[in-house]
Amino acid sequence: MNAGFIGTGNMGKILIEAFIESQALKPSDIHITNRTFEKAANLRKEHPKLNLYLTPEEIARQAELIFICVKPLDIHPLLLKLSPYLRHDQCIISITSPISVEQLQSVVSCQVARVIPSITNRALSGVSLLTFGRCSRDMRKKIEELFQTISHPFTIDDQITRVSSDIVSCGPAFFSYLLQRFIDAAVRETDITKNQAVQLTSEMVVGLGKLLESERYTLPTLQEKVCVKGGVTGEGISVMESELGDVFEHLFQRTHKKFDQDLREVGEQFGRYE
């Protein structure tokens, strides 16, 4: 199996390097291009056996799986360019949430899927969100097995695309922000140094992840174990209960509002908005 990547920005590069590290794909089986050609050329300097091309059309001629790793509003014109070169045995895979598989297959005649990755996939961990359009059983299996090497693939439908992406793809940034605020407050309010607070917090988060992975505790039971009645943890939880308020409700409201805007803009290109 070989794969092409149109777009080698942050997420395109993360996927390429994760697949190489997991040995799911050999560099010689990967074909890349980027609008800013130097980005793709710099990536090949790191992995000299990557196949580097000047245009997306060349990727379409070479790859079985074609990952579209560009901005949402760039996808429709790109698909129009690629369409004459695509074969039925190929599969277009978009990694952006506002583009539905129905919109993809309204432009191209090959197989289509959407996979929303996470930065955690770079550590060969976390979740990837899969939605299949016109796809053979064998192609679905190939895509699922490919993403099993770097993540836990989770199939979703359009109704929960945004919230799932908020949790899986945006979640690392959201909780990194909260942890940074946690660290900054510790430094301001106590004698701990920034380096000490960062190290302790990082180790705590890694340990928490491993504890959840072991399935010894769920999130609620873990909190119960740590939060002894009348203890220090309980005091801290009471502050969070009173001061966090509806922050996460507001977060999801804001991300869904932006998502609706993106859907409208993309829908105008594809000729419909649902």
Side-chain angles (χ1 to χ4, degrees), residues 9 24-25 31 44 54 131 151 179 216 218-219 232 251 262 273:
L25 295 172
H31 309 268
R44 192 171 69 162
L54 286 170
T131 304
S151 66
L179 289 168
R216 287 184 173 86
T218 63
L219 287 172
V232 172
L251 181 151
D262 292 342
Y273 169 60

Side-chain angles (χ1 to χ4, degrees), residues 4-8 31-38 40-41 51-63 66-68 70 78 81-82 85-86:
F5 291 82
I6 301 174
T8 57
H31 309 268
I32 65 171
T33 191
N34 195 75
R35 182 170 60 183
T36 304
F37 186 72
E38 289 77 9
N51 300 285
L52 180 61
Y53 297 93
L54 286 170
T55 67
E57 290 88 340
E58 292 174 288
I59 298 290
R61 293 188 186 100
Q62 300 293 333
I66 303 170
F67 287 87
I68 307 297
V70 301
L78 174 60
K81 285 184 180 180
L82 296 180
Y85 304 94
L86 296 171

Side-chain angles (χ1 to χ4, degrees), residues 180-231:
Q180 191 59 58
R181 292 288 300 270
F182 185 64
I183 289 167
D184 291 344
V187 173
R188 283 195 303 269
E189 297 295 325
T190 75
D191 293 329
I192 198 168
T193 68
K194 182 73 172 283
N195 286 341
Q196 289 172 327
V198 168
Q199 183 177 356
L200 293 178
T201 302
S202 299
E203 293 292 344
M204 178 273 293
V205 172
V206 170
L208 175 61
K210 289 182 178 179
L211 193 59
L212 292 172
E213 187 177 37
S214 73
E215 298 185 345
R216 287 184 173 86
Y217 302 105
T218 63
L219 287 172
T221 58
L222 188 150
Q223 182 180 322
E224 290 173 6
K225 290 291 183 181
V226 178
C227 189
V228 179
K229 186 176 181 180

Side-chain angles (χ1 to χ4, degrees), residues 69-246:
C69 308
V70 301
K71 295 178 181 178
L73 293 179
D74 293 334
I75 290 181
H76 185 265
L78 174 60
L79 293 178
L80 292 176
K81 285 184 180 180
L82 296 180
S83 185
Y85 304 94
L86 296 171
R87 308 182 307 271
H88 292 293
D89 62 331
Q90 293 172 297
C91 185
I92 288 283
I93 303 174
S94 168
I95 68 166
T96 186
S97 60
I99 308 292
S100 69
V101 291
E102 289 79 15
Q103 288 170 321
L104 294 174
Q105 61 194 20
S106 72
V107 180
V108 298
S109 59
C110 66
Q111 301 174 70
V112 302
R114 181 181 63 199
V115 179
I116 302 171
S118 167
I119 194 171
T120 57
N121 300 162
R122 185 60 187 87
L124 313 186
S125 185
V127 172
S128 54
L129 303 170
L130 278 59
T131 304
F132 294 104
R134 180 175 54 231
C135 247
S136 68
R137 184 178 300 177
D138 286 345
M139 183 60 75
R140 289 189 183 205
K141 185 178 179 182
K142 283 183 181 180
I143 295 170
E144 288 169 347
E145 289 180 348
L146 179 63
F147 277 87
Q148 281 171 359
T149 66
I150 66 169
S151 66
H152 297 285
F154 193 91
T155 301
I156 62 168
D157 56 34
D158 280 338
Q159 285 77 5
I160 62 168
T161 295
R162 183 64 258 151
V163 65
S164 300
S165 186
D166 284 343
I167 294 170
V168 167
S169 191
C170 302
F174 295 152
F175 284 92
S176 292
Y177 176 80
L178 288 176
L179 289 168
Q180 191 59 58
R181 292 288 300 270
F182 185 64
I183 289 167
D184 291 344
V187 173
R188 283 195 303 269
E189 297 295 325
T190 75
D191 293 329
I192 198 168
T193 68
K194 182 73 172 283
N195 286 341
Q196 289 172 327
V198 168
Q199 183 177 356
L200 293 178
T201 302
S202 299
E203 293 292 344
M204 178 273 293
V205 172
V206 170
L208 175 61
K210 289 182 178 179
L211 193 59
L212 292 172
E213 187 177 37
S214 73
E215 298 185 345
R216 287 184 173 86
Y217 302 105
T218 63
L219 287 172
T221 58
L222 188 150
Q223 182 180 322
E224 290 173 6
K225 290 291 183 181
V226 178
C227 189
V228 179
K229 186 176 181 180
V232 172
T233 306
E235 290 298 310
I237 292 291
S238 68
V239 172
M240 296 175 73
E241 287 176 339
S242 64
E243 297 192 16
L244 274 176
D246 296 331

